[in-house]
Each structure stands twice: as C-alpha cells, then as structure tokens.
Amino acid sequence: MNVFWHRRDLRATDNRGLARAAATDESVVPCFVLDPTVLEHASPVRVACLLEALEDLRSWYRDRESDLLVVRGEASAVVPEIAAEYDVTRVVWNEDYSGLARERDRAVRAALEEEGIAAESVHDAIHHEPGSITPNQGEHYSVFSYFWTKWRDRDKRDPAAEPAADDLAAVSGEPTPTLAALGFNEPAATPPTVTTAAARERVADFCSGPIYDYVERRDFPAESGTSRLSPQLKWGTIGPRELYAATERAAERAEGDGNRESVREFQRQLAWREFYAHVLAFNPETVTENFSGYEHEIEWREDPDALAAWQAGETGYPIVDAGMRQLRREGWMHNRVRMLVAAFLTKDLLLDWRAGYDWFRRTLADHDTANDVGGWQWASSTGTDAQPYFRVFNPMKQGREYDPDAEYIREYVPELADAPADDIHDWHELSDDDRERIAPDYPAPIVDHGTRREQAIAMFERARGEGS
C-alpha cells in the first residue's frame, strides 16, 4: 500500500500528490496529522475551517468506501506508525514552503527512511515550483513584474484527475476531534464555509460575471468585486490548476479586450501568491526578519495602547477601523483594506510589522505564511518589491477614493451609521464638538497622520543611512 499524507490540500480532485500515490497497483491509505507543533501556530478560526474541510474530505472518501485517517501526534512519529500498521512501502505528500513545514517534513522523511519506507514529495500548491522561475543570476526574483512576465508565459499543467474508488484502501478512522478537544475556544469570527463544493460554487459565480469587472471593482470594499477564494486556497479545497483553468475559460468567453484584461489581472493576483511562495522558500527567515537587510536600524515604537486600539478598530480613522472590525467579525478582510491597515500600523503608529503579522496570523481564516509575510513586508517597506518608504498611504484619502459613500465603513463601524459620508471622511479635521454631535461613541483620531508621515519617512531615512 501507499500512504498519501494530506496537509494543506484538502481535496481529491486536482491533487497531484494524491494522483501520484494512486498511479500504481497499490491501494492508497489517506491520512491527515493534527501535529501539536503546527497547532501551536494555529488559531480558533483557522482550526474551525480546517475541521470543516476535513469532514468534507472524509465524506468524499467514505462515499468510496474508504476514509481519511485523522490522527493526532508529532508527524515524525505517527506517519511511520500508520505506514507500519498498513504495511506501506511508500508515503507521498505535497510540498509546503514555510520553514516550519520543511523542518517537519525533513523529520518525517528521516523517520521513514530509517524504517526502510520510501518518501516522495510533489509540487502541487503552485504552478511553478521554487527554482523554476529565476533571473539569470540568483535563486529567485525579488521584483514581481519580472517574475510575472515569465509566470504568465509558462504553460500550466491540466488539473490532476481524482483517484477512482478502486484506488483507495478500505480503511476506517476515528472521529475527527472537536475544537475543544484540540484545546481551542470557539472563534470570535464567523468562519467562512471551507469545502470543495463551496469553493467551486464561488469560482463559478466569480467567473460568470465579477471577474470581467475585476480591474474596475476589486479595490472597492463595499462591492463584491473580489473572488473571496483565499480561505479555499489556504486549505486547498480547490486546486490551483482547476482554478486557473476556470479563469482561462472565462477569458475565452470574454467580450472585448477590457473583459479579457480583467481576467488577466485576476491571474496576476494568483501569480503574486506564487511569487511570495518562491521568496519564502528561499528566505524562510523573513517570517521574523526584514528582507531588506536593515534589521536593527528601524526605530519601531513600543506602544501597547496604540496596538490595542488598532486591533480593536478604535483608531479614529474610519476606513482602518472598518477593516479591523471586519476581520474580527468575519476572519477576513478586503485586500485593499489589508494594505491600508498594514500601512497605518507601520507608518502612522510606527509599530513593528511583526506585531501586525502576528495579529493577522491569529485572526485571519485565510492566513498563509508566504502571502502574509510578503504583504506585511511590502506595506512596511522592508520586503521584496516593497512600497517605497516615502510613499505613505493617506487613510482619509484612501477612504474617500475607495469607499466614497462610506457604505463599507458604516457596515462595520455602526457608531458612524448615521453620519454623512463627508463627515466620515473628514473625521480627522472635525472639531471635538462636531465629533461629539455627529457620532459621540466613535473615538477621535489617536495620531495625526501628517505628523506621523514625516516621522515615518525620517525613521526610514535614518535606518537606510540617508538622513543627515
């Protein structure tokens, strides 16, 4: 028999590792390991999504008279135990690219080899594995536009076929543990539905209409202009090749160059995810260190009260607070607003991006190490292809431009529900008396943006040795 070890690929279709394990005369024993070392970095909302996706996948296997064995313990111990119990000759899994995952996988591989069991890993989560898209010199691109040009023009594999029922071993596992059994409280946010059916429904809905308006609508958080597929991509309930194929079909149906350009722009966002996966694969230290190299020169402030206000959505900057409250309510945040809240933390509050990354890790249903580290270091001007330090987002102008009628803000900041849009966007300029009259329960701005912008630029100039 072969074991296929599921991780962040909780689907049966378009799963290259599962297809590889099934492409022999041996039956496949599917398993998933609830590893305490990995769960230490998890959060209630993400584990809730994980458990739902596991149950959905187990139903798929059970419908074919098999099952997904969900076991608890250190992967380097329990994967060899499963292999021994079922007299397995080979264990297959799909690659992950974080430092923690690679350390775990090395330990599992060593334990299997010690028992004389073959171990095979497959690239599945991205189209083009790290090291396959490179500059003439160096291991990976640090500028996205160059990466995108090559990524865009490379052929993409077709979706991998799902295994037949006859390929699967007739196994039966113990019930999936509950959140409480794993030591997690119920999440504060309402988790999204994370199943293959939900993923496919979202892909179908998005590719039938919104994808053609993606360029025009994706930056407006009050509109349904994005795919909201990130939780599905996080847990792999849909494969990257299946999703890309759906976008290619959408491009074929597109009416006019504008619609095709919108499809291409969405594909470009998929390429950003892969770009950050490549960067992390070659630079695992960037989870805790600045990619830019000037690690200790940046004079980040220590201000627990400001951090707490940012986390709670109580900064007095409406678009920022709306985003942070959406995160607390839904475990998700619109991408444009993610950039704004990250820029506000690092450039207005002058707080270390790692504090923001840690909060996202604890609260996002779609937290992905590569994507979040890349995004946070982009916003804080410390990463690859980052926002230049002297370009500081103005949160008031951003709110007025991307939420002009304050629909999004009012949805998530009910204290401003009856406030005129102009007053919301001018909140920083209003007098205390006017703020008290318009929305007495909403706070005044905790910092002055203009002052902090100048301080942020000076801080980065000193760090880079450019100040006098």
Side-chain angles (χ1 to χ4, degrees), residues 65-332:
E65 299 184 354
S66 183
D67 198 1
L68 175 68
L69 305 181
V70 178
V71 294
R72 298 173 66 177
E74 294 285 347
S76 58
V78 298
V79 171
E81 288 174 1
I82 294 171
E85 180 179 354
Y86 290 95
D87 195 22
V88 162
T89 58
R90 183 177 64 145
V91 177
V92 183
W93 64 80
N94 288 319
E95 285 276 0
D96 202 345
Y97 304 109
S98 72
L100 176 65
R102 289 190 157 188
E103 182 179 340
R104 172 201 60 196
D105 294 353
R106 282 192 293 269
V108 172
R109 187 180 294 273
L112 290 171
E113 289 177 353
E114 189 173 327
E115 299 297 327
I117 299 169
E120 181 179 359
S121 60
V122 179
H123 290 284
D124 169 80
I126 56 181
H127 289 280
H128 309 295
E129 57 265 26
S132 66
I133 297 180
T134 59
N136 293 332
Q137 295 181 340
E139 295 175 323
H140 67 89
Y141 281 106
S142 59
V143 176
F144 173 73
S145 58
Y146 300 141
F147 177 89
W148 160 242
T149 298
K150 289 189 176 180
W151 187 95
R152 177 191 62 199
D153 295 337
R154 291 281 177 92
D155 290 337
K156 306 293 185 286
R157 295 185 180 96
D158 293 330
E162 65 184 37
D166 291 344
D167 296 327
L168 306 173
V171 296
S172 180
E174 297 296 321
T176 304
T178 63
L179 266 175
L182 293 173
F184 292 91
N185 297 322
E186 289 294 324
T190 301
T193 300
V194 182
T195 65
T196 292
R200 286 176 168 166
E201 181 179 359
R202 189 164 289 280
V203 170
D205 288 347
F206 182 66
C207 289
S208 67
I211 196 171
Y212 300 122
D213 299 317
Y214 188 70
V215 168
E216 290 80 13
R217 299 178 63 199
R218 68 189 178 102
D219 282 324
F220 295 88
E223 301 185 23
S224 300
T226 65
S227 72
R228 295 195 70 152
L229 282 165
S230 52
Q232 313 291 351
L233 293 170
K234 154 68 182 178
W235 291 113
T237 51
I238 192 162
R241 292 154 297 277
E242 182 176 349
L243 173 56
Y244 187 83
T247 66
E248 286 288 272
R249 291 192 296 271
E252 292 171 359
R253 297 190 302 268
E255 298 178 359
D257 292 340
N259 284 358
R260 278 186 288 273
E261 179 57 31
S262 272
V263 175
R264 180 66 78 179
E265 179 57 32
F266 179 73
Q267 292 175 338
R268 187 171 179 269
Q269 299 307 308
L270 299 179
W272 266 108
R273 298 180 67 89
E274 298 206 6
F275 172 70
Y276 284 142
H278 284 223
V279 172
L280 183 66
F282 286 106
N283 305 274
E285 73 282 355
T286 56
V287 175
T288 56
E289 299 177 13
N290 295 333
F291 181 88
S292 61
Y294 45 98
E295 178 61 38
H296 302 293
E297 292 84 356
I298 302 176
E299 303 157 358
W300 301 115
R301 296 175 65 251
E302 291 286 342
D303 191 338
D305 291 340
L307 177 61
W310 177 83
Q311 291 171 339
E314 296 284 351
T315 69
Y317 284 86
I319 190 72
V320 172
D321 293 340
M324 298 307 294
R325 296 189 195 188
Q326 181 181 30
L327 175 60
R328 294 171 73 92
R329 185 194 300 183
E330 301 174 10
W332 185 87

